[in-house]
Each structure stands twice: as C-alpha cells, then as structure tokens.
Amino acid sequence: MKSLVTLVASLLLLLSSEAKAESADLSYQLYGQGDVDCSQAFKSRDSVIASQSWTQGYLSGQAFIKGLSFHVSEQQHAELLDQLPVLCPKGKWLIDAMPAVLKAPQLGAASSEYSSVLGAGAFSCSDYLRHAHDKRTGALARIIYGSWMEGYVSAAALGLGNWSLSEIVQNDMVLTFLNNYCQQYPQTTVVHSGIELIRYLSPTDTPHLQAAETSPPAVEAKP
C-alpha cells in the first residue's frame, strides 16, 4: 500500500525547511483554496500543501472534463508545483494561476500511456481510510484529500456550466462524502468519489458522466 509519506513527497519538495514554509466566492463555482488570495495561499506549511493538493485536484478535474492527460514525470510535476507561488498573480486568487499551469507543455491529448489523475485522487479508497483514521496522519490527510476533492469539483463546476457548489460549500460535505463513499467502495480510487460527487451535484448529465458510469477513469500513473 502507498504511504502518506509517498503521497506528500512531491508536495513537500517546495519546502527546503519548516521555516521556508512559512471572501468571496465565484458564484459558488469555486471551493477551497481556489479563492484564497495568493499572498495567503503559500504562507504556511499547511497552506502550501493545501494549495498544491487543490491544484492537483483541479488539474485532474480539468483532465476529466476536457479529455486531457499529463505527460509528466514525478520530477516534472514537482517542478510545476514549485512554480505555483510565482504563477499566482499578486492580489489575485489561486484559481488565477491555473491558466498558466494548464499551458504547461506536459499537458496534452488523452493517452492511455499517461495519467489523467494527479495527486491524492490516484490513491485507493483503502489508502484514504487508513490515512484518515490514523491519529498520526489524520490531520494531514484531511488537508490533502479534502483539498484535492475541492479542486476536483471546482474544475467541474467551472467547466460543466450551469451549476454551483452551494450545497457542499454550505454543508462542508466533501470529506463526509469521501468517507462514506470509500467505506462503501474501498477497492476503488479517490477520483471515483470525486466523479460521484460531481454526478450528485450536476443538474444535467454529460457525456463524461455517462461514460464514467460504465468505464472508470484512467488512474494508472506513467511507469
């Protein structure tokens, strides 16, 4: 099984030490770190991890909606995350860095050779449950998995059109939904929970959601 250390390894490459790691909504289409001011999004260790995991979720959601995959090695992906504070415009939100991130040359047309899921979404539900319910890792797991889910559904809300995240924003239901789903389907991956949450929130079905009912999304990482 993957360890939580493996999950956060790329997120922590931005930090050389603990010392270095030192509102409004967008019509309820943005949730979590996406609408955090860039000056605050990287202010502490936890905010760095949350912002990076949110970005991974957002990119994974964009891949799902637009049929992209990620032509990146772990090192290239870590380097991309490392650029987030630079790409996040002063006086803007984290979401404003996403267009520059999505222009990265490593993103391309969907291919089975590459991954369409980055970060926590590629981990199994059994991994999530183990991380979330271990006293040693629970707090960090809530930041990583919760931020990833928030980024994933934000990408869908912004990309699929006429729907909002008001229900989950008002009820803070992301981790509750993830926990319930993973307890019921521990053999699946976290991204499956994200897709089910999108389907639950979306007012109309889409070809992507219809396809997901019969064909799980690609979650295999590049060897």
Side-chain angles (χ1 to χ4, degrees), residues 180-199:
N180 291 342
Y181 182 89
C182 284
Q183 286 182 340
Q184 188 171 356
Y185 304 105
Q187 75 282 5
T188 63
T189 51
V190 170
V191 70
H192 288 86
S193 175
I195 290 173
E196 287 304 316
L197 183 54
I198 291 170
R199 183 180 292 115

Side-chain angles (χ1 to χ4, degrees), residues 1-9 11 53 119-146 148 175 178-179 182-183 186 188-190:
M1 279 199 259
K2 297 179 182 179
S3 69
L4 193 62
V5 173
T6 302
L7 177 57
V8 300
L11 300 181
S53 195
F123 276 64
S124 71
C125 271
S126 60
D127 283 327
Y128 161 72
L129 292 171
R130 180 165 54 86
H131 297 153
H133 295 112
D134 187 323
K135 290 181 179 179
R136 297 168 299 178
T137 59
L140 185 58
R142 285 190 290 274
I143 294 173
I144 293 172
Y145 289 99
W148 191 93
L175 282 176
L178 175 60
N179 197 64
C182 284
Q183 286 182 340
T188 63
T189 51
V190 170

Side-chain angles (χ1 to χ4, degrees), residues 33-151:
Q33 289 292 107
D35 62 0
V36 171
D37 187 276
C38 289
S39 65
Q40 300 298 316
F42 307 96
K43 194 172 183 179
S44 68
R45 173 182 177 272
D46 285 354
S47 64
V48 168
I49 292 172
S51 294
Q52 292 186 331
S53 195
W54 188 94
T55 298
Q56 291 175 317
Y58 183 86
L59 292 176
S60 300
Q62 285 284 317
F64 177 59
I65 300 304
K66 297 183 178 180
L68 300 174
S69 60
F70 303 102
H71 301 203
V72 291
S73 65
E74 287 189 14
Q75 180 179 350
Q76 289 171 318
H77 178 51
E79 290 171 355
L80 186 61
L81 292 177
D82 186 65
Q83 291 299 309
L84 278 178
V86 177
L87 296 173
C88 204
K90 191 174 181 179
K92 299 289 187 177
W93 293 343
L94 181 60
I95 185 66
D96 294 309
M98 296 303 104
V101 172
L102 285 165
K103 288 180 181 178
Q106 297 91 347
L107 304 187
S111 166
S112 60
E113 183 182 355
Y114 298 103
S115 176
S116 61
V117 180
L118 299 172
F123 276 64
S124 71
C125 271
S126 60
D127 283 327
Y128 161 72
L129 292 171
R130 180 165 54 86
H131 297 153
H133 295 112
D134 187 323
K135 290 181 179 179
R136 297 168 299 178
T137 59
L140 185 58
R142 285 190 290 274
I143 294 173
I144 293 172
Y145 289 99
S147 297
W148 191 93
M149 288 282 288
E150 290 165 356

Side-chain angles (χ1 to χ4, degrees), residues 10-22:
S10 64
L11 300 181
L12 295 179
L13 285 179
L14 180 62
L15 310 174
S16 60
S17 66
E18 285 288 323
K20 186 178 178 180
E22 287 284 354

